[in-house]
Amino acid sequence: MTDIGQVQDSKPQPSVGRFVGIVAVFVALGPPVGALAVTLLLAGLGLGSGLAADGWLDQGRFALGVMLLGIVFGLPISYIVGTAPAALVGLAIAAWDARTGNISLYVALGAALVLGVLAALRSAGLVSASEGERAAQIAILLAHLAAAGLCWFLARAIFGRPTVSSISGMGKNQ
């Protein structure tokens, strides 16, 4: 017969398939989500600055064209540029999940924030950046955060939340 101490200490063993699956969600979907976020932000900035000068219809067509070009050319490039950061965020989430049994939003956004700031620092100095460089840095940072947030949501939906056990306390948000 097992006593209550043994039941409390027994934690379900994390599976390798779950670990690899979480990382795969981030690697497969993170780069295109980041590219879409950058495209939408930059098209919105271009649309917002041009509306004062020209009419809505011309600027709307221009913004739509920029978005389509950004998506067509940005998706292949996004995998070249974004696979490593997406894999690092996915590894952080999968390691956290293996340790605690929880796919944490805070870990996803924290890892993405660190990698986004490092990428923004690499593109130009944060203090001495010009207006165009600043917009690119903000786009890079938002791309990292948007991709991590959406991939976290999808990983949580695919792999589910662990069941809450009244004995072990597993499943609580940590």
Side-chain angles (χ1 to χ4, degrees), residues 28-79:
L29 300 174
V33 169
L36 185 62
V38 168
T39 300
L40 290 174
L41 178 71
L42 295 179
L45 286 173
L47 182 64
S49 65
L51 283 179
D54 292 330
W56 283 87
L57 187 59
D58 292 336
Q59 287 302 313
R61 274 190 252 155
F62 176 72
L64 183 62
V66 167
M67 286 174 31
L68 289 175
L69 284 173
I71 290 170
V72 167
F73 292 109
L75 285 180
I77 294 170
S78 73
Y79 281 105

Side-chain angles (χ1 to χ4, degrees), residues 59-165:
Q59 287 302 313
R61 274 190 252 155
F62 176 72
L64 183 62
V66 167
M67 286 174 31
L68 289 175
L69 284 173
I71 290 170
V72 167
F73 292 109
L75 285 180
I77 294 170
S78 73
Y79 281 105
I80 295 168
V81 174
T83 300
L88 289 173
V89 174
L91 284 170
I93 294 297
W96 184 265
D97 177 61
R99 185 176 158 271
T100 65
N102 184 19
I103 300 173
S104 173
L105 176 63
Y106 298 123
V107 173
L109 293 180
L113 182 65
V114 168
L115 292 172
V117 167
L118 289 174
L121 281 171
R122 188 168 181 242
S123 68
L126 286 177
V127 176
S128 64
S130 68
E131 189 174 321
E133 289 171 337
R134 181 80 57 206
Q137 290 171 337
I138 291 170
I140 289 169
L141 186 60
L142 289 178
H144 281 80
L145 293 173
L150 185 67
C151 288
W152 165 83
F153 179 76
L154 292 173
R156 188 111 181 212
I158 293 169
F159 296 101
R161 299 175 86 175
T163 58
V164 177
S165 170

